[in-house]
Amino acid sequence: MNYDELFAKTVDTLLSGHIICPIAYSSLRKYLSLDLNRDKVNSHLNQTGRKLSSIEGEYYYCSFNYLNNSRVKQCRDFFKHNQEKIKPVVGFINFIMRTSGDERVVDVGDEIHINRLADKLETDFSLTNELEKVLLATKKSTSAKKNSPYDRLMVFMNFFEAQGIVKKMNSDSAIYTCTGKLAYHVAMIEFFVENHSEHFPELEDKEQMDFEL
Amino acid sequence: MSALRKFFTIAAKHCDLIETISVEGELPLNDIEADKGFDLLCDYGVAYRTSQNSVRLVSDFQAFIDLVLKTDSLSSVNIDVSTIWNRIKHNIKAYNELTSSGQFEDALKSKRSIEDSVYQMVEGLKRNVELLRKRIENDFGYVTSLSAKKKENDLALYEADKLISSLKIINVEEVLELTNGSSEFYLLFRNDLMNGQLMALEGLNKAIDVMKAHMFRYRKLEDRAKSFKRFKAFVDENVGLQALDEAFPFDNEVSVLPDLLNVSFMENLTSYPDPDQPILRDAYIDIVESIQLDKNRVEPVKACEPSLGVINETTSDIVLEEPKSRLWIEKLLIATIECKPNKIAVCDTYDAMEMQVTLHDYLDVMYCELLNLPSSKSTHFEINTLGDEHPIYNGNFDINEMTICCKV
């Protein structure tokens, strides 16, 4: 049968709730870089009451193009359901920022080198505590408490790999790369802080000037 | 042996020392005295002794090393356009005087100096622009922090602006007039110098545009980092999920609901597990233990503890659960399904397993593993072992050793 395989894969991937980014779905992301292809996909999704949405025009996902009471309820439910997921992601971002010493929020395409993280864990005990806090939030803290820091780190990374937040570039590699799923969570965080600022504590001036994590 | 070959031979012999001085800037004379023959390099004029009893490389030689090794030591130093420009004009005047006085040999030397200066200017400008672009394209390659990158970008912007201003001093018409429209210099000035100036201007303007865009991105990254920190502070202060509920009220906010929340992410929760990565028993127990049921919809667990079916290890007899408790378990499973969005998601931990285990697999394991009941007693689910069939699931085999069916 003659059909547009990339188009079909792109639509299937979007409808199954995945985020298309250069890391997780590079060929599909390349496909969507053309206006013509984006229009084709969007037009198809429109017929199902959905549309092609993006985070910063870089990472694509599928959203609904209408809002009624039923959708609003589903969105509310979705957010409540997602609250549990955001906490470990916040812990993940903070842990990676602390270990890398970088002020930037970890971004799509950033590499996470397991061996470097393990080295840091061995020399900085506070990072081990930080790791355990995140594992607690992921509910992965009970199964392997007696394991080495490296094993705990692998439990940590495996969890976020299962979440689709990071991806191993190949099965033998000890390097993970952040995906568009992380960008989704970060965009969500930014949206809420920007639009519901009153709920979030203001940073002190010193913290703003000297952004040390 | 040619003089150049001889020089490079000597330089190669003292390569380590030259590299050390190049990196350190200077070396005490005492450290060099042991290196016999280094004086020869001083004789060549590539190094010299200072009054502080140290040795330095002459700046032109240092620049040559930086150029060859593509080091960044000069990246923050712009080419001195005005000095070269004045030298060109000075040599043109000298050339004119020497030519008119019939000193053609010296005039040729001045002509060579003019040409050298023009190409030095063109190459220098090209290198400056390249270094600038290298710093831009390398993004966070030279620095790790956002603030350091912003400072670097600010400095690069300042240097680019300064270079653009200094380029204005180059006036091709002026030098053409000085040479009285001599055809000997026409192409040199009109083509090489003018093109070099225009290309440098174009390159610098492009670099400035990119840098300004980057500054916008850095500000955005900075804002993102601040937002993240505020959000993290909020999460740290509010351990329970209820606090987040209060922070994100949805009522009456339909009009501002972004695509980010109006997503179709929860459509596919019943994919089959990856056969290469089955979830094993311990992982299932973890999942089951982490379940947080809606207390308003199910009865307390202790209400049926005495009547749970268990395998009596000493007699191998099976103690069956009472009908009332069995019904409660079924109710519990169904209630668990119903209390979540879309009547699909069982619990947050189940959702966290995305795509790795089916809902029915999950519920069956809850039924059999957590409650340790014979699967045959389930109204909705049925579990059979693979291979030799055993009528009772004893809770000691992995998911890949059993088949699960739905009793429809």
Side-chain angles (χ1 to χ4, degrees):
Chain A
M1 193 173 74
N2 190 17
Y3 72 105
D4 187 340
E5 196 180 345
L6 271 176
F7 170 79
K9 269 189 187 172
T10 305
V11 169
D12 285 350
T13 305
L14 289 166
L15 284 175
S16 61
H18 291 97
I19 296 177
I20 293 178
C21 72
I23 308 301
Y25 300 96
S26 58
S27 60
L28 306 187
R29 175 63 189 80
K30 204 173 168 187
Y31 176 80
L32 285 176
S33 61
L34 287 179
D35 291 348
L36 181 72
N37 294 337
R38 278 202 305 278
D39 290 346
K40 249 164 79 175
V41 170
N42 200 29
S43 160
H44 179 86
L45 293 176
N46 281 339
Q47 292 174 54
T48 67
R50 295 170 176 84
K51 67 179 177 183
L52 183 66
S53 294
S54 77
I55 300 161
E56 296 177 349
E58 289 287 329
Y59 321 119
Y60 293 95
Y61 63 96
C62 180
S63 67
F64 287 92
N65 61 6
Y66 65 92
L67 263 181
N68 54 25
N69 288 341
S70 159
R71 274 301 311 148
V72 171
K73 184 185 178 303
Q74 283 173 337
C75 289
R76 190 189 298 119
D77 290 342
F78 167 70
F79 177 70
K80 283 185 179 178
H81 155 83
N82 225 30
Q83 285 174 2
E84 188 80 0
K85 284 184 174 181
I86 282 186
K87 279 185 167 183
V89 175
V90 169
F92 169 82
I93 295 170
N94 188 53
F95 181 75
I96 300 298
M97 285 168 79
R98 278 197 59 186
T99 49
S100 66
D102 200 337
E103 300 160 10
R104 283 178 302 152
V105 172
V106 62
D107 204 356
V108 179
D110 284 355
E111 288 182 350
I112 297 167
H113 296 248
I114 290 299
N115 294 334
R116 287 183 203 163
L117 287 190
D119 287 348
K120 296 259 180 176
L121 276 179
E122 277 180 14
T123 53
D124 189 344
F125 188 68
S126 68
L127 285 175
T128 315
N129 290 339
E130 191 72 39
L131 179 72
E132 288 306 321
K133 265 191 215 168
V134 184
L135 287 173
L136 197 67
T138 64
K139 293 170 182 166
K140 292 280 173 193
S141 62
T142 53
S143 57
K145 258 183 183 162
K146 288 176 186 171
N147 288 351
S148 68
Y150 184 84
D151 292 335
R152 305 293 288 147
L153 190 59
M154 289 316 294
V155 174
F156 171 87
M157 289 311 295
N158 288 340
F159 175 82
F160 289 106
E161 190 184 11
Q163 294 280 303
I165 303 270
V166 292
K167 187 186 173 189
K168 241 184 188 178
M169 294 322 279
N170 62 62
S171 55
D172 300 330
S173 166
I175 301 171
Y176 293 81
T177 309
C178 297
T179 70
K181 188 83 177 277
L182 178 76
Y184 173 79
H185 286 293
V186 172
M188 185 89 101
I189 288 169
E190 280 186 294
F191 169 79
F192 283 115
V193 175
E194 281 167 19
N195 291 278
H196 300 276
S197 182
E198 70 279 8
H199 295 289
F200 299 95
E202 284 288 345
L203 300 178
E204 287 176 18
D205 286 348
K206 189 180 174 300
E207 282 179 295
Q208 292 202 17
M209 293 297 290
D210 184 20
F211 198 80
E212 289 289 330
L213 285 160
Chain B
M1 188 186 282
S2 74
L4 195 62
R5 185 183 292 273
K6 197 174 172 187
F7 164 72
F8 276 118
T9 308
I10 293 168
K13 193 178 166 192
H14 300 284
C15 181
D16 291 343
L17 203 56
I18 292 173
E19 193 173 4
T20 310
I21 302 174
S22 169
V23 173
E24 301 286 332
E26 63 181 359
L27 263 188
L29 202 56
N30 294 342
D31 294 355
I32 293 170
E33 275 173 352
D35 201 331
K36 286 178 184 171
F38 190 75
D39 278 349
L40 277 172
L41 286 176
C42 293
D43 294 343
Y44 270 104
V46 297
Y48 60 95
R49 288 190 174 88
T50 68
S51 58
Q52 312 295 318
N53 279 336
S54 65
V55 171
R56 296 180 67 89
L57 298 178
V58 296
S59 56
D60 284 348
F61 189 55
Q62 176 73 54
F64 168 74
I65 292 171
D66 288 329
L67 176 74
V68 172
L69 300 180
K70 296 183 170 52
T71 53
D72 282 326
S73 63
L74 292 180
S75 61
S76 61
V77 180
N78 278 333
I79 178 178
D80 192 346
V81 176
S82 66
T83 303
I84 300 174
W85 176 247
N86 288 331
R87 196 189 303 150
I88 290 171
K89 286 201 296 186
H90 172 79
N91 283 326
I92 291 172
K93 283 173 190 164
Y95 172 81
N96 289 341
E97 284 169 16
L98 290 166
T99 310
S100 58
S101 62
Q103 298 177 60
F104 297 109
E105 205 167 306
D106 288 341
L108 270 178
K109 281 183 188 169
S110 289
K111 188 187 172 207
R112 173 72 188 270
S113 298
I114 294 166
E115 288 167 346
D116 285 349
S117 298
V118 167
Y119 290 118
Q120 187 189 358
M121 175 93 86
V122 172
E123 281 171 24
L125 288 172
K126 194 178 164 196
R127 194 167 70 240
N128 254 170
V129 175
E130 272 172 9
L131 281 169
L132 204 60
R133 289 206 71 88
K134 196 173 158 194
R135 274 196 286 174
I136 296 166
E137 281 155 17
N138 203 30
D139 207 6
F140 283 85
Y142 297 132
V143 291
T144 53
S145 73
L146 194 56
S147 51
K149 186 65 200 170
K150 274 178 74 183
K151 275 182 197 164
E152 190 194 49
N153 209 45
D154 271 338
L155 180 66
L157 262 172
Y158 168 75
E159 285 172 8
D161 279 332
K162 204 173 140 194
L163 195 55
I164 284 180
S165 316
S166 65
L167 276 174
K168 285 175 187 163
I169 202 175
I170 300 175
N171 184 346
V172 173
E173 300 306 326
E174 185 186 348
V175 283
L176 282 175
E177 201 178 310
L178 280 175
T179 57
N180 301 317
S182 165
S183 58
E184 283 187 277
F185 295 106
Y186 186 81
L187 286 177
L188 178 72
F189 294 144
R190 184 63 81 192
N191 282 1
D192 295 335
L193 183 60
M194 201 168 166
N195 283 346
Q197 184 192 21
L198 289 174
M199 281 174 75
L201 273 171
E202 194 184 337
L204 286 168
N205 282 325
K206 271 186 191 166
I208 286 174
D209 285 346
V210 175
M211 277 190 286
K212 282 179 179 166
H214 278 211
M215 282 306 263
F216 177 74
R217 186 167 73 91
Y218 300 145
R219 269 195 291 276
K220 205 171 168 190
L221 287 174
E222 202 172 42
D223 288 346
R224 176 173 295 166
K226 282 174 189 167
S227 293
F228 171 74
K229 205 175 180 192
R230 287 179 71 188
F231 192 87
K232 184 181 174 296
F234 175 82
V235 170
D236 289 347
E237 280 172 19
N238 301 280
V239 180
L241 295 177
Q242 285 173 342
L244 283 171
D245 274 343
E246 286 166 16
F248 308 136
F250 278 86
D251 295 335
N252 306 321
E253 288 194 25
V254 175
S255 60
V256 293
L257 212 55
D259 290 349
L260 280 170
L261 290 171
N262 198 5
V263 288
S264 59
F265 278 2
M266 296 184 63
E267 302 293 310
N268 191 5
L269 288 172
T270 52
S271 298
Y272 286 92
D274 179 355
D276 295 329
Q277 290 183 316
I279 310 250
L280 302 182
R281 185 172 175 274
D282 284 351
Y284 274 119
I285 291 173
D286 271 0
I287 295 168
V288 170
E289 284 175 347
S290 67
I291 293 171
Q292 294 171 354
L293 292 172
D294 185 342
K295 287 177 185 167
N296 296 326
R297 305 192 66 151
V298 295
E299 294 170 29
V301 174
K302 63 180 182 184
C304 59
E305 270 179 355
S307 59
L308 287 178
V310 293
I311 297 171
N312 185 322
E313 287 180 1
T314 50
T315 62
S316 295
D317 288 336
I318 298 158
V319 182
L320 295 178
E321 74 279 21
E322 292 171 6
K324 188 182 169 189
S325 297
R326 185 177 61 77
L327 286 172
W328 177 82
I329 291 159
E330 301 290 0
K331 191 178 164 189
L332 182 145
L333 291 172
I334 301 303
T336 313
I337 300 169
E338 287 182 346
C339 73
K340 288 294 172 181
N342 297 342
K343 300 186 179 179
I344 292 175
V346 177
C347 76
D348 295 325
T349 310
Y350 169 74
D351 294 336
M353 306 301 293
E354 281 177 322
M355 311 300 173
Q356 294 191 28
V357 54
T358 67
L359 177 65
H360 289 160
D361 291 350
Y362 177 78
L363 291 175
D364 269 326
V365 173
M366 269 183 67
Y367 187 84
C368 301
E369 189 77 69
L370 176 66
L371 306 169
N372 203 15
L373 293 171
S375 62
S376 57
K377 295 298 172 188
S378 168
T379 308
H380 298 283
F381 312 106
E382 183 181 312
I383 297 181
N384 299 310
T385 55
L386 295 172
D388 293 336
E389 190 170 308
H390 194 281
I392 300 160
Y393 168 57
N394 62 14
N396 284 329
F397 45 83
D398 297 329
I399 186 71
N400 53 347
E401 294 174 324
M402 61 190 182
T403 123
I404 303 167
C405 305
C406 200
K407 290 180 181 175
V408 182

